[in-house]
Amino acid sequence: MSRDYKVVIAYDFGTTYSGAAYAFTHSSPPEVFDVQKWPNKGGSFFPKVPTTLVYRRSDESLVDWGYGAKKVMIKPYAAKQNVLVGQFKLLLDEDLGRTIHTPAKPAIHIIADYLRVLHQHTLQEITRGFAKNYHPDTFRYCLTVPALWSDRAKHAMRQAAVLAGLVAPSDPSDRLVLISEPEAAALYCEQTMDMELKEGDRIMVCDAGGGTVDLIVFDVSGKHQLKEVTKGLGESCGSVFLDEQYKAWLTRQLGQDIMDAIPPREVADLMDQFIDIIKPEFDGIDDQYVTLPRSVPLDRLDPRLNEDNALDEGTIKLSASVLKEEIFDPVVNKVLSLIRQQYEQIPDGRLTYLLLVGGFGSSNYLYQRIQDTFFEFDKIVCPAERAALAVVRGAAYYGLNPQVIKARVSRRTYGINAGLPFEDHRDPPSTRVVRPDGSVRCTTRFLVFVKKGDVLPIDQCIREHMYVYYGTVKYTDIMLYATEKDDVPRYYNDPDVKHVAAISVPIPDMPGVMHGERISYTVRMYFGTTEIRMEADFGTGQSYRVYCDFDAVDRYDDLE
């Protein structure tokens, strides 16, 4: 824990809801406080705030956020004047390929808009108390990210935080730290749950949230220290996909024409009945009922609804069997499959606890299905009273002591572009070059730094000495590449190899060095944290670094 930081503020930026928590670095033992007062919250007891924004259609200016967004949209003609935007976190999941047409902003700017208002309110709340004695420059921030996110998506979150004003581009990199959501949840459970974790215990965390479900397995390697055992798994199969299944079921019952004719306010009410009442309370046993809005012409509905006693005085029956088979099970089965895949990665099959956290993690039906499916797990724990806050509270603990996680397992193979010795019968002739010193090189080779599955102690530095020929170029461009394939690629332009970062390093003046003379420089990679840091220097006292730079042009940052 750095003495320079007085307060740690953690944000759990979620698909449907977001949370905030904070802690003072001088407190011993550490105590984490939740932010639970949100604008326009009303009588809701839920401790988090909706991840929603309302923009004005005419100029795309921000109108309101959180609970206030829903309040704005129930006003007359609101849908014509404004647009409600939600679930924009999913825009960073490249595999889903989602887009938003209104507002016409890049995803990173929409996320920055939300982080800005979330941050401004949080600062107002915490500076009413003891934190007002500290300057905001002494605040450290911790953001949570899904385990399944690519390096590019994680870097986009850091950029959004800078745009939102949490930190400045010139701030030290450790002022804003990232942690994966299941890791944060594991830290919370390890720190606070009644069960006494002891050295040698093994825990699997299933963080089931609104958009994603992430899993990770840790060994408890000492007091408040965790070591990752397996490569974490994750998939976009959170509770918002239950909402989509429910809406699809509604459309099948009412018909597409009728659904399209229902005013947006009434569609929102139909969805809220499921999201606020049916979804959290469903246990797999009881039937549920949905009240249809007045705009629905009951006489035009399928007569079979009356035959099955499913329609009565404007209320449509949603039976337990339909809820299971058509709405819950298509999503829950994906969660069960993820748990099975993660369990099969454990080398000896030993597991002490399975911890179920997150908003979806508090679902009674999901908990029951896990118990029925994984009867070999003796201890399935769901800290229901704090499940929704487990991630953000764990992030605050991590911000107090980022070294609490001792090691992580690389989910990808990482390497750089390198001119390695050319092999006549193996490398393409088009990649063959002869260097000024007479050596024959292949220009498209992939030089491995870390292999998929490698266990990486936190802050481990891996370095390679590279060479360039003085006077032949003014800059040397170092490209970082990654692949999720199990085999190590031979070339950086192989299929499934992605470019993730770049540094353009100026070659310094070197009096006495001849033109074409080979000179060395050092490339250092810092893996094992939630981000990647790549540095390069020629030994002149000035280094260059990058945190997963995805700009179209190369960029480098001077180190002091």
Side-chain angles (χ1 to χ4, degrees), residues 42 46 90 111 114 158 179 210 286 373 434 478 488 530 555:
F46 193 63
L90 297 178
I111 293 169
Y114 185 81
R158 176 176 283 275
I179 183 172
D286 295 332
T373 305
V434 180
I478 306 162
V488 175
T530 319
R555 177 180 298 170

Side-chain angles (χ1 to χ4, degrees), residues 410 412-416 420 426 444-454 481-498:
S410 177
R412 302 172 181 86
T413 293
Y414 291 94
I416 65 172
L420 300 182
R426 193 171 185 185
T444 58
R445 289 291 301 277
F446 180 94
L447 178 62
V448 176
F449 271 68
V450 167
K451 294 180 181 179
K452 182 178 180 179
D454 282 355
Y481 295 91
T483 178
E484 296 188 6
K485 294 292 185 181
D486 293 331
D487 297 332
V488 175
R490 182 170 179 82
Y491 308 105
Y492 69 77
N493 55 359
D494 278 354
D496 301 310
V497 178
K498 296 181 179 179

Side-chain angles (χ1 to χ4, degrees), residues 419 421 435-439 441 465-472 510 513-521 538:
R435 298 300 190 194
D437 62 357
S439 62
R441 301 281 170 168
H465 292 291
M466 308 293 291
Y467 299 92
V468 69
Y469 296 89
Y470 188 71
T472 58
M510 294 183 173
V513 177
M514 301 291 292
H515 185 278
E517 185 177 339
R518 192 170 80 156
I519 56 175
S520 68
Y521 62 97
F538 280 89

Side-chain angles (χ1 to χ4, degrees), residues 305-367:
L305 291 175
N306 284 315
E307 294 173 6
D308 298 335
N309 295 317
L311 184 66
D312 182 36
E313 296 183 355
T315 300
I316 190 170
K317 179 181 177 181
L318 185 48
S319 68
S321 61
V322 169
L323 269 167
K324 285 192 289 188
E325 295 168 10
E326 298 186 32
I327 297 176
F328 272 81
D329 283 351
V331 179
V332 169
N333 288 341
K334 291 183 179 181
V335 179
L336 300 180
S337 176
L338 276 177
I339 294 174
R340 175 63 66 190
Q341 291 176 54
Q342 185 73 101
Y343 181 66
E344 290 175 352
Q345 283 190 15
I346 301 175
D348 56 6
R350 183 175 62 83
L351 188 66
T352 314
Y353 293 99
L354 188 153
L355 306 177
L356 189 59
V357 299
F360 190 19
S362 60
S363 163
N364 293 327
Y365 183 68
L366 176 61
Y367 179 76

Side-chain angles (χ1 to χ4, degrees), residues 253-262 295-306 311:
Q253 303 309 303
L254 304 183
Q256 188 66 59
D257 292 344
I258 292 177
M259 279 294 291
D260 291 342
I262 299 175
S295 63
V296 173
L298 302 181
D299 58 336
R300 289 177 51 196
L301 297 181
D302 190 330
R304 286 174 294 183
L305 291 175
N306 284 315
L311 184 66

Side-chain angles (χ1 to χ4, degrees), residues 39-52:
N40 300 293
K41 184 178 180 181
S44 173
F45 292 102
F46 193 63
K48 300 169 78 173
V49 61
T51 310
T52 51

Side-chain angles (χ1 to χ4, degrees), residues 502-534:
I503 314 177
S504 187
V505 184
I507 297 174
D509 290 330
M510 294 183 173
V513 177
M514 301 291 292
H515 185 278
E517 185 177 339
R518 192 170 80 156
I519 56 175
S520 68
Y521 62 97
T522 303
V523 177
R524 295 181 296 275
M525 301 278 186
Y526 294 87
F527 292 92
T529 57
T530 319
E531 299 171 283
I532 305 165
R533 186 168 89 247
M534 181 166 65

